[in-house]
Amino acid sequence: MSTVPENLTPAERYALDAERRAFSKTELGAFAAELPFPLDPFQREACRALEAGRGVLVAAPTGAGKTVVGEFAVHLALRKGLKAFYTTPIKALSNQKYAELAEAYGPDQVGLLTGDVTINGEAPVVVMTTEVLRNMLYAGSSTLDGLGYVVMDEVHYLADRFRGAVWEEVIIHLPRDVQIVSLSATVSNAEEFGAWLDTVRGETEIVVSEHRPVPLWQHVMVGRRLVDLFATRQSFDDLADAHDHVGDAGEDEDTPAPAAPASRREEHPRELTAVNPELVEVARRESHTPGARFGHGGRARRRDGRPGGGNGRPGGRPGGSSEGGVQMSGTRASRPQMIQSLERQGLLPAIDFIFSRMGCDAAVQQCVDAGLDLTTPPERAAISAAIDEAAKDLPPADLGVLGFWSWRDGLLRGIAAHHAGLLPTFKEVVEKLFAAGLVKAVFATETLALGVNMPARSVLIEKLEKFNGEAHVDITPGEYTQLTGRAGRRGIDVEGHAVVQWRPGLDPTALAGLASRRTYPLNSSFRPTYNMSINLVAQFGRKRARDILESSFAQFQADRSVVGLARQVREREESLAGYEKAMTCHLGDFSEYVRLREDLSMAEKYASREAGRMRRSMTVDSLARLMPGDVVELTEGRLSGSAVVLAADTNAREPRPHVLTFDHNLRRIGYQDLDGPVEPIARIRIPKHFDPKRPKDRRDLAASMRHAVDRSRAEGPDATGRRRRARRDFAFAAGYEDSERRITELRRQLRAHPCHGCAEREDHARWAERWTKLRRETDHLVEQIQGRTNTIAKTFDRVCEVLESYGCLETADGEIRVTDRGQQLRRIYGDKDLLTALSLRAGAFDDVDEAELAALASVLVYQAKRDEPGLPPKMPSISLDVAVDAVLREWTALEGVEEQHRLPRTAEPDFGLVWPVYKWARGRELQNVLSGTELAAGDFVRWVKQVIDLLDQLADVPGAEPRVRRLCHAAIDAIKRGVVAYSSVAD
């Protein structure tokens, strides 16, 4: 309860009392009275808007208490006799929220829907993943009846390039009378997103709070010691405010920044964000130390010999500077040393973010091997009881392959890993024990920061780059904010601490810029998919569906950007007029002379480009002609040397045959690996039972290849001569003579032009170059404007053309309607939705049994993290081999159609899960299933559940053969067992 402010007049006291009495009579007053803490201003503002019947967008830092607004929506729904859906981006967060709401309102009032788990689905309050709600909307589910409120937690997932479109689909398609509560991390364009919500949903209140309820302090761990990142001892709020005052490229500098505390206002913003000079000195010394090496377990030596101490601030906040600075030797501590340092300074529990699953597991083992123990005997007893409870239903035979014993050993010491490769049950135990304060150090991947509520006293980030699936990239300010936002537990800690480990090459100034920015733009990733488009046409017709897609946030952002582009075009047109005047020549038309110069330049570039195109065409053709047993000579880069073809690739547009190199490595070669066409220099026989996975087989075949190469060079024309002839043929085929004639003629015309003899020709030419460059830029802007106008609708039209070409849509009486084939596609959700529907129609599922069907479904679901070269595996059976061939034929044809219609390509079917799923469906033990694969147990369980989800969809597809339906159910029964079936609510 808040106290009455002192020094109020009687009239002011009376007014305040009247306001409180009025507030207590509102639904918000009743809700607030049940809370164990007072509402913050932003929570009160958002809840009042919600009670007034408006939608709300709440953007606030992690841990600020956004979910209170969502819980108030649940309260309103129950009071009004309406339904409330609480959506989350991931199952773990759905399970966590379900547990919280079930405890608050009773399990009979709350349900859970996560695709593979259904609990009380018709309850008045249902927690679900966002995809489940999207599927409900397209299916017209009766569960939507009586829906009054939808809470979209972590709505900034809308920017996710893989799943973000789902959030927009839900926002667009929900009935207008449903109030939406959008909860987002702090984003820099909340007003833009709110304006779009206002457009598509009606009146929407935008509530932005940039205040962290628990102050956050920034440090760098140099050796075993914490050093403040900034020269001034400021909290994260003060530093972010200072950053706003200074301004940042790409952000609106005219927007007033929140006022800093009075005690700080007299300090210049740039002084507040100044880097600690001690860190600058460390970086300087490091850069001047040739050959310096910093091992991961290097010992940290301090000049003063003392642990990193306080800085004179009340409460003994860790960090600060020492007079002597930090020695260069040992500026990087081992992981056990880092955790020990945090423990000594009272900064546990901590989350150490490592952008690698293997790194997380290795970190736990390193701490165990170092003898690190963070628990007391009573805590170990409580942890042991929790472990025993979680493991009681796990098959004993699977405990070893699940890594149970090493996991248990770490937990008993208060240390654990948390990543997607863990068994869901293990992750649940880690989360519960960490929340209870029993686990003190968690080594996690960034997925923990994106949803699961696991706040800590401190957060440690080991490096500021991560692998995004394609390349190693620096983390963004938004990602840094998301990670460090876990530091500081509201109601427990008076402050949180973000720590970055010092590494060679770390730039303290760049880190300071990263740490002082806490917002990032929310950009739409929306694009029409096959399933989305067919459902829209079925429900609304093509014309209205097109209009609906034009209301997407993606199109809203594109339309807004066009205004700025148009202004730039107008400004450039004015400059062009001035340039034209400056390049006027008294001898003739200088613009004509400029065109001749441009034509000559383009002709020369065309000749060079044609040479490259012809080289690629002939190289691709030579690769497509290679057959198993052909021996070729490679001359480029790391693949230089002899290689024998193991598997041809004759059907692809860019063939990449599998080869065995002279040094026994398996590779796939493409035109990028060659400097021109390739021809076989010899041929050998590949043994019938050759297994590329056996080193001995590879060595024997490489030896045969070397003998064949030696024999070929001794008996016939050498490969070098062949390649020279191929290049001469290529040069002739490229049509160099025609290009040379064209270039010669243009040069003659240029010399004959009157302006060629002008004394001021080069001066005119400089102005002409400026004009040409600006004209090109202006034309590009115009193209951008044209490209961004109706972008989504144009993509939708191309998708519909593909669907028509496959008979999913047809025109009847001037109207587009969905065919029976299209009705099947409507019930198939996933990245390979159309490919799945086409494979079903092609009969790929007709002649397989339940185990083969499960394995075939994995081909349409699984996607390896990296495109690793390797031979397609031999299928477990002939029936499955035939079925997979049918899927590949459909994919090859679909890829060609998508290229023709300028649409993103459907990913190639992946066979990495075929054998594990097949073995699992045949009843093999988990150890046997995972043997020889790189799959973690948690990954296997997750992918099998996605296979189950696809099989469940196929069983309900309209018009499917009864046998296929029965097989789908049988396949589900075959793989939903053991660790897959043992799925607690927290999966």
Side-chain angles (χ1 to χ4, degrees), residues 811-855:
T811 304
D813 301 325
E815 293 290 330
I816 297 288
R817 71 177 188 86
V818 179
T819 65
D820 291 342
R821 292 176 179 177
Q823 293 295 343
Q824 291 187 333
L825 177 58
R826 287 189 65 193
R827 294 295 173 263
I828 299 174
Y829 306 97
D831 294 337
K832 299 184 179 76
D833 45 11
L834 181 55
L835 177 60
T836 303
L838 295 175
S839 301
L840 183 66
R841 191 178 80 191
F845 300 86
D846 291 350
D847 298 318
V848 292
D849 61 23
E850 60 268 24
E852 294 163 343
L853 178 59

Side-chain angles (χ1 to χ4, degrees), residues 163-182:
R163 300 171 55 209
V166 176
W167 274 255
E168 287 190 54
E169 291 178 77
V170 168
I171 291 170
I172 291 171
H173 297 312
L174 276 171
R176 286 295 292 263
D177 59 345
V178 174
Q179 285 179 253
I180 295 182
V181 180
S182 303

Side-chain angles (χ1 to χ4, degrees), residues 380-395:
R380 280 194 291 275
I383 292 171
S384 180
I387 293 172
D388 292 343
E389 176 64 24
K392 65 180 182 181
D393 294 324
L394 287 175

